[in-house]
Every structure is written in structure tokens, then in C-alpha cells.
Amino acid sequence: MAAANIKQVAKHAGVSLGTVSNVLNRPDLVSPTTRQKVLDAITALGYVRNDSARQLRAGRSRTVAILVLDVSNPFFTDVVRGAEAVVEEAGGMLIVCNSGEDPHREQRHLDMLEEQRVQGLLVTPVSDGRHPRLDAFVERGIPVVLVDRGSGHPSRCSVAVDDVTGGRLAAEHLAERGHERIAYVGGPITIRQVADRHLGAATALAERDVPLDLQLVKTSSLSVDAGRQAADDLAALPPDQRPTAVFCANDLLALGLLQGSIAHGLRVPEDIAIVGYDDIEFAAAAAVPLSSVRQPRAQLGRTAAELLLEESINEDGHQHRHVLFQPELLVRKSSDHHR
Amino acid sequence: MAAANIKQVAKHAGVSLGTVSNVLNRPDLVSPTTRQKVLDAITALGYVRNDSARQLRAGRSRTVAILVLDVSNPFFTDVVRGAEAVVEEAGGMLIVCNSGEDPHREQRHLDMLEEQRVQGLLVTPVSDGRHPRLDAFVERGIPVVLVDRGSGHPSRCSVAVDDVTGGRLAAEHLAERGHERIAYVGGPITIRQVADRHLGAATALAERDVPLDLQLVKTSSLSVDAGRQAADDLAALPPDQRPTAVFCANDLLALGLLQGSIAHGLRVPEDIAIVGYDDIEFAAAAAVPLSSVRQPRAQLGRTAAELLLEESINEDGHQHRHVLFQPELLVRKSSDHHR
DNA sequence: GGCCGCAAGTGAAACGTTTCATAGACGTGA
DNA sequence: TCACGTCTATGAAACGTTTCACTTGCGGCC
């Protein structure tokens, strides 16, 4: 019973091999009596279809892969869950691969996925440049959708979130609450997200009726510790020069800044208002609930999967699309105060 | 060029089909000249091996699957990363599947993985009982390793972390710091981990030279909010009845308790010492860094994968093993105070 | 010179499925 | 009675690989 195949099922049921296949794939072509005989045989022998053979014959698999930069990053886990829902809805299976931001592991995974002739690939490549490796997929007829990367490429779809708008939302909110000395805490500025959020915030402030300046506080990383460090720096300033509001490049920085500010005796939001980015799980659970910009992560995954499946089904008529999602500002207590 | 196969490569290189296969799988059997000709042809045609055919022939794949309860739970993501390292080291590929604690999705994934004839399966089943479904894998010759579940099953390996010891560590630590009124905050008590940690802590205290009682504070969930709620309850007690130390069933509770205690004007650790469980990322980053019991999560994944590969290779001589890891107590400021 | 062994390369068979052209049984209408 | 269509069931071919028994060519040894 270790490995029954279709032939043995056919013999056991007293029908031909093709009939068993029909029961499996087009049951309506088979008379009820025969069908039942076959189903009984399948149960009796513990038959399980061999997907390799099926795939070999079909030329492609029903498996969609998602290759992420970091399986333990909540951003990607939410994207995965969104994509999963769509793929499973369509009767497929999503497998998750992790490059860990390592180009070699990315390469290895791409090699194996290409050998497996997956139905499609959702991927956030390690590097942001050109990707000849991905073109090979497309040429082989395997659709590729870029996630949060390199929008605008002509030969594949992409989905991303608009970080410039995110920065704008945060800055506008703070300006509307009457703040006039606003700072942006973040770094390294070489990270696209860090730069885009800064750009959006700075632009929004400059465009106001009374243009405002956005003070830039650079950090060496996007961690809680770096946020605390920034709090030390800000607390050291004389109160009349200290920003009354801070927009942080992500929530880790914001939480560190929040803790550090409180430790320095500053009241949040009265003395210093804080807005973070990402709306991580702990944002709402902080000592002072943290305002934050939320990205529609699951939506990103869902849409990516939908674009992929559409391309996969409608191979010829498919038009590549580049979907840009808008983030959303969640105002919580850390910035909910009018000056 | 869309889909070159071995035959076309052979023709292009002017050799037989078997020779191409030898170049791919046993290059030392082929003379350097011929080998180079074949490699050139492979490049020229953009040939990529078809894994379905290879698998069909070989009867099994080189893919190991891990089926977890929740891809977005850091516990599992760390387990995944540990397993990943081992599997990739061995030249295989790890695919991650997510049951989302839903028995139907678990079932679906198991069905598809069985059809795919994966090399092996690491799994944390949704339910804790018997698993006839997994026995089918074993009968088919697909090794299964249980992760953090049902140790002791005779027909498969398992890995888990000893929660009783974890509870013991936390309680002993608090007792040694001179605490005599100690509480355990957690619930629902039907969750095995919650119960085991409680058992370990209660036992440790009862076994002391001067036996101590462990006060039980039940919560309805393991969330930050439930922890805050518990803080309210404790703060309402008269100081001479209030526990001077609390061990929480997980870090979310502990962080909520920490915030709530501070909000009620209690000093941590002077008025109330707190120990959590899981050592989540934010434990060390809390306003008062949180003491916590850490589970060797990546090690769990690594060992699970090692057991699996061992069974896979040494099919006959394999002895099923049940590895129980010991957790570790990290003392941080939230409990670092002698009464 | 005859024999042997070795290195290199060959090509048919097998893996398990799906598909497709075809055959048989049976009922219906002319 | 015959021709025809419908419904079922059949089994060979094809998917692309790996393996293995086999040939071929060549050099060494007695």
C-alpha cells in the first residue's frame, strides 16, 4: 500500500486506467456505478495522486511561490496571508520562500522554483536594480509580480505602497494640530522608504500657506535604541528650540522616542507629539498609544496574487499593471493634542 | 527557447541524451571535452531541468515542508529560520505552509503535500490529539517530525520545549530574590502552555524549604489588554496583600501588566517585580526592560530538521527520538531587585 | 596475436499521469 | 432493418528525466 498508482486502482476496480483518470478529473463523464467502484478502490488502496506525474504531463504546477526578504518581518507575514487567501480561494497552493536578504539564497530559491515550473512568482528582490534572472521566468511563461519594489517595469506587474503620501499624511496631520517646529527622525537615508517618507513630509510642509521647515534628525538604524538616542538629543535642546512634534520613519524609532521622552520628563503628546510608521502590533499597546501610518499589507498581498492569477489564466490578453496603494493615518493619543 | 529539454540539448551538443544526464548528475563520468560541449549547449538553449520529471523518476522530492499554525507568530518564524538553515545546508529546499490554526486548511495542505511526495514534514498540528492523517505520511515513507506538540508518539520524532521547567525557573528566581507573595497571571488555563508554566512555578514554590503559595490570577486571553486589566486588579489590593512579584504566562501579558502597574504609580521592580515568557523582541525594549523566559526557538527548528533528514537518509536504522529543550531565564531590570 | 579491462558514450525502459482517437452498446427515428 | 447519435469506456501516446545494460575503442599484458 506504500505507493498505489492509477493502474493498480484500475485493476482493483476492474476498469481501465483512463476511466480512473476520468473519475478523478471529469467525474461527470463516468456513470455513477463505475464511479463508485473506482472511488471504493481508491479508498481501499489508499491511493493518492502523484503530483509530479500530473505536473509533468500538464507542463506546469498549481503552486504559486512567494519569495520574501524576511519571513519574520510582520510586513511580509501580512503580505503572505493576503496572497495566501487569494491563491487558496483559486484552488492553488502558496509556498513561502525566504531569501533573508541574501542574494545567494535568493538565487538558489529562484533556481529551484524555476526547475519546479511554479505557476507564478511573487517576489521582493534583494536588490532594487534590474533583474535578468526574473526575465528568464517571464520568458518561460511564468508570470512574476514585484512586491514593494521597482514599480513600472514593462514586462511584469507590481504592487507597492506610496511612501511619499505616507510621509505627507503624517506631516499634514501634525501641521494641522498647530505644530510649527516639526522634526523627522530616521535613517539611513539611503533606504528608499526612509527617503520617500521624508520627501513626502517635507513637501507637504513646504506647500502650506505658511510654509514650514522639516528638521531632519538622522539615525544610524531603525531601532528602538536609535529612537531612545534621538530622544536624548531632543531633550537636550532648549524648550523653545525643541520640536513640538516628531514624525518617525518607523514605529520602532517612534516607540524608543516615546519611552525616552517620557523618561526625560516630557509629556506625550502635550510637550512632544509623536507619529510613527507601519502600525506594528505594539503601536496601539504602547504606554501612550502611538499614532502611526498603516500600510494595507494584506491588501498588497491579495492584489499581487490576483494580478498573478489573472496573468496566468489570461496569458495573451494580459496587460501588466502597476498598482500603488495609499497608506492610512491612524491618529492615537501620542499625537492627539492641539497646540 | 521557452522550454528546452534534455533531448534538444543532446542534439545541439551532438551527443546522446544519456550523456547530457550524466553531465548533470555525474560529471566525472564524462570526458572534459564532451562535458564542455554539453554545458555550452545548455547555456545556448537556456535549458533548466524539469523537476517534475526528475521527481517522477526518483519517486520523491528534495523538498521539505514545514506546516505551522501561524506564519505571523514570531515563535514559528524563528523555528522556520532554524529549520531552513539545516535543510538548505543539506542542499534541499524548505517550503513554508500556514494552517492558520484552521483544521480545514491544515487538511488541504496535508493533502497537497502528500500528493507532492515531499521528502519530509515538520508540523505543529492544529489539534493536540491523535493524527491518523500523519500516520498516512509515515506509511508512505514520508518522515514526520512534530514541533512543540504531542511528544512521545512511537512512530515519529518530536521536538518541544519544557514549559514546566520554564515556570520553575521563573518562580525560583523570584523566590530567591526574597519574594514571599508571588502571583501567576495567565489564562485560559486550558491552553497546555499556560497550564504547564503554572504547574512548574507552583511546584517549585511548594518544594522550597519554606513552601510558598502561588496565587493564581486568571485572564481571559494572553494579550496586552488582559495584562493591563490584571494590573488594575492587583493595584486595587491593599499593599500588604498585594503580590510583590508576578510571573506572567507570556510577554504580552507582562508588558500590559508593566504599563498598568506604572500607570497606577507602582514602581517596577521595587513595588512589583515582573517576569514574562517568550522573550519577544519588545521585552528588552520595554520602558523597564522585561525579564523573560526564552525558548530556544531556532534550535527547535534546527533539531527538528536534523531529525527529519536523519530519518530520511537512514530510513531503516532510524530510531524515533523525542527531544525536549530547556528554556532559559533572562533576568532584566523588571525583576532585578532584592527585597 | 589474442585476451582482458577500462573509459566513454549510447539508447531503451520506466516513473505515473492526462489526453485523445476510437470502439462498443444502446436507443431512436426513418 | 438500417443509419445515426449518444453515452461509456478503452488503451496507447506523450510529458522529461534517470538508470542501466550494453557497445565501442583503445592500450596493456602474456
Side-chain angles (χ1 to χ4, degrees):
Chain A
M1 144 144 184
N5 59 21
I6 255 194
K7 211 158 157 187
Q8 294 168 35
V9 172
K11 193 165 134 202
H12 190 278
V15 299
S16 87
L17 169 166
T19 302
V20 176
S21 176
N22 281 336
V23 170
L24 258 29
N25 301 300
R26 297 119 87 190
D28 44 318
L29 289 190
V30 182
S31 76
T33 338
T34 314
R35 197 187 313 155
Q36 195 52 53
K37 270 195 300 185
V38 172
L39 291 176
D40 289 346
I42 286 178
T43 312
L45 297 177
Y47 168 77
V48 172
R49 181 200 263 133
N50 182 325
D51 199 50
S52 312
R54 186 231 262 275
Q55 246 182 74
L56 171 59
R57 182 63 231 246
R60 63 161 35 193
S61 91
R62 283 160 26 257
T63 301
V64 172
I66 181 166
L67 177 52
V68 302
L69 292 181
D70 179 5
V71 267
S72 55
N73 182 332
F75 177 83
F76 288 112
T77 59
D78 283 353
V79 171
V80 164
R81 298 208 296 190
E84 213 166 37
V86 171
V87 172
E88 293 186 8
E89 170 75 20
M93 177 165 168
L94 183 74
I95 65 177
V96 182
C97 301
N98 182 32
S99 69
E101 314 221 25
D102 173 350
H104 294 100
R105 290 183 52 195
E106 175 178 279
Q107 177 71 33
R108 243 178 72 85
H109 278 113
L110 290 175
D111 288 347
M112 303 203 73
L113 292 171
E114 194 176 1
E115 290 189 3
Q116 292 190 17
R117 306 289 195 269
V118 289
Q119 186 187 347
L121 176 65
L122 308 177
V123 57
T124 305
V126 173
S127 91
D128 216 335
R130 300 186 54 257
H131 294 286
R133 197 67 195 66
L134 296 182
D135 293 330
F137 277 71
V138 176
E139 282 178 32
R140 195 173 291 282
I142 300 176
V144 173
V145 175
L146 288 184
V147 176
D148 205 32
R149 275 278 198 282
S151 321
H153 192 289
S155 80
R156 41 187 99 106
C157 292
S158 70
V159 297
V161 183
D162 189 341
D163 283 297
V164 176
T165 299
R168 170 178 293 275
L169 286 176
E172 282 173 352
H173 159 67
L174 293 173
E176 278 162 18
R177 294 293 162 124
H179 293 281
E180 297 180 350
R181 291 196 305 282
I182 303 179
Y184 176 73
V185 171
I189 203 77
T190 47
I191 298 177
R192 181 186 57 73
Q193 282 84 348
V194 174
D196 280 3
R197 291 165 195 176
H198 177 248
L199 174 65
T203 310
L205 294 185
E207 284 172 357
R208 291 187 69 81
D209 294 342
V210 183
L212 290 175
D213 216 38
L214 181 67
Q215 184 183 340
L216 176 59
V217 178
K218 291 186 186 169
T219 63
S220 59
S221 74
L222 294 168
S223 62
V224 175
D225 272 346
R228 282 215 193 85
Q229 181 75 49
D232 294 344
D233 297 349
L234 292 177
L237 293 173
D240 61 344
Q241 289 178 31
R242 187 163 51 221
T244 60
V246 178
F247 167 41
C248 296
N250 79 349
D251 280 352
L252 296 182
L253 281 176
L255 289 174
L257 181 70
L258 178 64
Q259 288 176 10
S261 301
I262 292 173
H264 281 292
L266 297 174
R267 292 167 304 158
V268 178
E270 293 81 0
D271 297 326
I272 186 165
I274 302 178
V275 175
Y277 208 110
D278 281 347
D279 190 35
I280 64 175
E281 193 185 355
F282 280 93
V288 179
L290 181 70
S291 297
S292 192
V293 179
R294 176 194 286 171
Q295 315 193 56
R297 310 177 192 171
Q299 181 63 39
L300 206 62
R302 276 197 296 278
T303 304
E306 280 163 4
L307 289 172
L308 189 74
L309 294 180
E310 199 279 327
E311 178 168 357
S312 182
I313 292 163
N314 181 12
E315 214 161 330
D316 303 319
H318 178 81
Q319 290 284 337
H320 294 299
R321 290 172 53 203
H322 303 280
V323 181
L324 194 59
F325 285 98
Q326 297 308 318
E328 171 190 11
L329 175 68
L330 298 174
V331 177
R332 298 202 184 91
K333 196 175 162 211
S334 73
S335 70
D336 200 2
H337 173 78
H338 202 286
R339 267 195 98 68
Chain B
M1 143 141 185
N5 58 22
I6 252 194
K7 209 157 157 186
Q8 295 168 35
V9 172
K11 192 164 136 203
H12 190 278
V15 299
S16 87
L17 170 164
T19 301
V20 177
S21 175
N22 282 335
V23 170
L24 257 30
N25 301 299
R26 295 118 86 190
D28 43 319
L29 289 190
V30 181
S31 77
T33 338
T34 314
R35 197 187 313 156
Q36 195 54 50
K37 269 195 302 185
V38 172
L39 291 176
D40 289 347
I42 286 177
T43 312
L45 297 178
Y47 167 78
V48 171
R49 182 199 265 129
N50 182 326
D51 200 50
S52 312
R54 186 229 264 277
Q55 244 183 76
L56 172 58
R57 181 64 231 241
R60 61 156 39 188
S61 91
R62 280 161 28 255
T63 300
V64 172
I66 180 166
L67 176 52
V68 302
L69 292 181
D70 179 5
V71 268
S72 54
N73 181 331
F75 177 83
F76 288 111
T77 59
D78 283 353
V79 171
V80 164
R81 298 208 297 189
E84 213 167 38
V86 170
V87 172
E88 292 186 9
E89 169 75 20
M93 178 163 167
L94 183 73
I95 66 178
V96 183
C97 301
N98 183 31
S99 70
E101 313 221 24
D102 174 350
H104 295 100
R105 290 184 51 196
E106 175 178 278
Q107 176 72 34
R108 243 180 71 85
H109 277 112
L110 289 175
D111 288 347
M112 304 204 72
L113 292 172
E114 193 175 1
E115 289 189 4
Q116 292 191 17
R117 306 288 195 270
V118 289
Q119 187 187 347
L121 175 65
L122 308 177
V123 58
T124 304
V126 173
S127 90
D128 214 335
R130 298 187 57 258
H131 294 286
R133 197 68 194 66
L134 297 181
D135 293 331
F137 276 72
V138 175
E139 281 177 33
R140 196 173 291 283
I142 300 177
V144 172
V145 175
L146 288 184
V147 176
D148 205 33
R149 273 276 197 284
S151 324
H153 192 289
S155 80
R156 40 187 100 105
C157 291
S158 71
V159 296
V161 183
D162 188 341
D163 282 297
V164 176
T165 299
R168 171 178 291 276
L169 286 175
E172 282 172 354
H173 159 66
L174 293 173
E176 276 162 18
R177 294 291 162 126
H179 293 281
E180 296 179 350
R181 289 197 307 280
I182 303 177
Y184 176 73
V185 171
I189 201 76
T190 48
I191 298 178
R192 181 186 57 72
Q193 282 85 347
V194 173
D196 281 2
R197 291 164 196 178
H198 176 248
L199 175 65
T203 310
L205 295 184
E207 285 173 356
R208 290 188 68 82
D209 293 343
V210 184
L212 290 176
D213 217 37
L214 182 66
Q215 184 183 340
L216 176 60
V217 178
K218 291 187 187 169
T219 63
S220 59
S221 74
L222 294 169
S223 64
V224 176
D225 271 347
R228 282 213 194 86
Q229 182 76 48
D232 294 343
D233 297 347
L234 292 177
L237 293 173
D240 61 344
Q241 289 178 31
R242 187 161 53 224
T244 59
V246 178
F247 167 43
C248 296
N250 79 350
D251 280 351
L252 296 182
L253 281 176
L255 289 174
L257 182 69
L258 178 65
Q259 287 176 10
S261 301
I262 293 172
H264 280 291
L266 297 173
R267 293 167 302 159
V268 178
E270 292 81 359
D271 297 327
I272 188 165
I274 302 179
V275 175
Y277 208 109
D278 282 345
D279 191 36
I280 65 176
E281 195 185 355
F282 279 93
V288 178
L290 181 69
S291 297
S292 193
V293 179
R294 174 194 286 169
Q295 314 193 56
R297 310 176 191 170
Q299 180 64 37
L300 206 62
R302 276 198 296 277
T303 304
E306 281 163 3
L307 290 172
L308 189 75
L309 294 180
E310 200 278 328
E311 178 168 358
S312 182
I313 293 165
N314 179 15
E315 212 160 334
D316 303 319
H318 179 81
Q319 290 285 336
H320 294 300
R321 289 171 52 203
H322 304 281
V323 181
L324 193 60
F325 285 98
Q326 297 308 318
E328 172 190 10
L329 175 69
L330 298 173
V331 177
R332 298 202 184 89
K333 196 175 162 211
S334 74
S335 70
D336 200 5
H337 173 78
H338 201 288
R339 269 193 98 70

